[in-house]
Amino acid sequence: MKATAWMGTDSVKVIDVPDPKIMNARDAIVRISTTAICGSDLHLYHGYIPAMRKGDILGHEFMGEVVEVGPQVRNLAPGDRVVVPFPIACGHCSSCQRGLYSVCENSNPNAGIAEKIMGHSPAGIFGYSHLLGGYAGGQAEYARVPFADVGPIKVPDEVSDDQAVMLADVFPTGYMGAEMCDIKPGQVIAVWGAGPVGLLAAASARLLGAERVIVIDRFPYRLRLAEEHIDAETINYDDVDVLDALNAMTAGRGPDACIDAVGLEGHHGNAAMYAYDRAKQAARVETERPFALRQAILACRSGGVVSVVGAYGGFVDKFPMGAFMNRSLVMRTGQCHVQRYTRPLLERIQRGEIDPSFIVSHRMPLRDAPKGYKIFQKKQDDCTKVLLKV
């Protein structure tokens, strides 16, 4: 089969690889119809996530048709159209029983590697390094889905691929980011990043009752999407000081909650700060550029919530712990527990409450995946989200 493989820093290639096979009684094989390039795939592309190997198959956002199931998979059958959550979860461990699927205790066969960096291991993830299991990803013609009796859900005919594939990651992740803000009527929510997760976090904040949503980014076309589809107020951090602007917009209090939907490869309007973090990251003495996280902490009203759904992989520098502690802030974070959200969010799509596919800007065949990565990385042609059609 054809699959998108990581070939080294800033290099991917569509190559021929063996078709996946059932390896466990709880496996399924899915023939992929639509897969997506995620912003966190760019962290792999740029070489910031450890334990990648040449030839690793990328992709953790995918959906398609079930073609084979293991003998213990009784909820699915060949011919079922399904979307697959990106965290791989057993459904039976202590974490899964508490709905914490992205920290499943049984799905990462390389847990020992992760434990050395993180203390304990999170769940395995499709196509996201040997640190998180070494699983083949879904930017391919077929994928093996472990624990298929727990993860995938059937997609009804009236929901398009473009809508349904958003349930694999970005819509649940954005929704969880908003949910962790514990939004109350009348509150103001600020979102750093107008990429796919940030836009859907902002849209989810609206669904959950926020009175005002403020989106912060530097690309005018992405800010326009926030204004047109979410009725959000926007800040371009290349034009104004973000903290000053947020204080002016909130009578000096700051937003009630702040969502970091940027993660480890942030940018900053302050050239000196950007150069400092960029140099340390390039030398691998710092793994992250946490501009958005620092700003979110400083901007949030005292006693407020900082919600972090942007992906981080290692260690941050100049974390404003004094502000965080002395102003009674609360931080909530985590890779999304997607299995917790897929069905209720699918129902919201079916009821017409939201169409998450508004973020899609580009659709192209799988063979053009290398082109898709370059367009997405460089923000060319007003790119917000690339779908690969198989």
Side-chain angles (χ1 to χ4, degrees):
M1 70 171 185
K2 300 291 185 182
T4 306
W6 186 83
M7 306 304 288
T9 300
D10 295 333
S11 177
V12 300
K13 185 178 181 180
V14 177
I15 63 174
D16 291 306
V17 298
D19 289 357
K21 297 179 180 179
I22 296 288
M23 298 176 63
N24 184 282
R26 297 175 65 189
D27 285 353
I29 304 297
V30 173
R31 179 190 296 117
I32 295 164
S33 57
T34 298
T35 181
I37 301 174
C38 181
S40 57
D41 287 328
L42 295 181
H43 306 327
L44 301 173
Y45 186 69
H46 293 149
Y48 291 127
I49 303 298
M52 288 294 292
R53 300 174 188 170
K54 185 177 181 180
D56 283 348
I57 299 173
L58 298 171
H60 57 270
E61 300 180 9
F62 60 95
M63 65 170 297
E65 179 186 341
V66 176
V67 296
E68 187 179 359
V69 296
Q72 292 185 23
V73 179
R74 300 180 179 89
N75 58 314
L76 301 175
D80 285 342
R81 182 167 168 252
V82 297
V83 61
V84 181
F86 80 83
I88 300 169
C90 73
H92 298 302
C93 68
S94 174
S95 293
C96 288
Q97 288 296 301
R98 289 179 288 146
L100 304 175
Y101 296 100
S102 73
V103 288
C104 172
E105 297 161 16
N106 292 322
S107 65
N108 186 357
N110 299 330
I113 301 174
E115 288 166 358
K116 291 178 181 178
I117 298 173
M118 301 181 185
H120 298 278
S121 175
I125 293 177
F126 290 102
Y128 215 79
S129 87
H130 294 267
L131 177 72
L132 298 176
Y135 291 97
Q139 290 170 9
E141 294 180 317
Y142 294 87
R144 180 178 75 91
V145 179
F147 303 118
D149 53 335
V150 175
I153 65 165
K154 298 176 187 177
V155 178
D157 291 341
E158 67 268 20
V159 177
S160 70
D161 269 30
D162 289 11
Q163 294 172 317
V165 76
M166 300 300 151
L167 295 169
D169 178 358
V170 288
F171 187 15
T173 296
Y175 189 90
M176 188 174 106
E179 184 183 70
M180 290 191 297
C181 294
D182 193 22
I183 296 169
K184 303 291 191 302
Q187 287 193 328
V188 180
I189 309 300
V191 181
W192 273 256
V197 169
L199 288 169
L200 289 169
S204 297
R206 282 286 192 212
L207 287 175
L208 293 172
E211 181 170 311
R212 296 171 62 198
V213 177
I214 303 168
V215 176
I216 301 139
D217 203 282
R218 67 189 176 115
F219 293 98
Y221 74 91
R222 303 209 304 188
L223 294 172
R224 282 196 302 272
L225 280 176
E227 292 166 353
E228 294 169 1
H229 289 271
I230 306 164
D231 194 26
E233 301 164 70
T234 59
I235 295 173
N236 187 323
Y237 65 75
D238 275 348
D239 296 338
V240 298
D241 181 274
V242 172
L243 299 182
D244 288 347
L246 286 171
N247 279 333
M249 297 167 80
T250 60
R253 293 178 66 248
D256 296 287
C258 297
I259 301 174
D260 171 6
V262 176
L264 67 90
E265 288 191 80
H267 294 80
H268 199 290
N270 183 308
M273 280 298 296
Y274 180 74
Y276 169 84
D277 275 311
R278 191 71 183 87
K280 293 194 73 173
Q281 191 182 49
R284 296 304 192 264
V285 294
E286 178 185 25
T287 57
E288 335 285 286
R289 299 196 300 267
F291 304 123
L293 180 60
R294 293 182 189 128
Q295 276 194 344
I297 290 170
L298 296 176
C300 192
R301 70 158 169 84
S302 296
V305 175
V306 177
S307 171
V308 183
V309 288
Y312 289 89
F315 303 94
V316 303
D317 192 11
K318 297 193 181 306
F319 183 86
M321 190 63 201
F324 185 78
M325 181 267 172
N326 284 287
R327 295 197 297 110
S328 300
L329 297 178
V330 172
M331 182 182 292
R332 298 190 178 109
T333 187
Q335 290 282 4
C336 184
H337 310 297
V338 176
Q339 288 87 337
R340 185 197 298 174
Y341 298 101
T342 45
R343 291 190 188 280
L345 294 183
L346 175 61
E347 291 169 2
R348 284 186 180 269
I349 294 171
Q350 289 178 286
R351 291 194 297 266
E353 296 176 18
I354 185 170
D355 179 356
S357 67
F358 79 86
I359 66 172
V360 178
S361 59
H362 291 70
R363 299 166 181 84
M364 58 187 67
L366 178 66
R367 65 176 178 270
D368 288 342
K371 175 184 175 183
Y373 269 85
K374 288 182 180 179
I375 291 172
F376 192 31
Q377 175 203 11
K378 296 180 181 298
K379 307 295 186 292
Q380 295 173 341
D381 193 27
D382 289 358
C383 183
T384 51
K385 186 69 172 177
V386 178
L387 299 187
L388 303 173
K389 299 294 183 174
V390 183

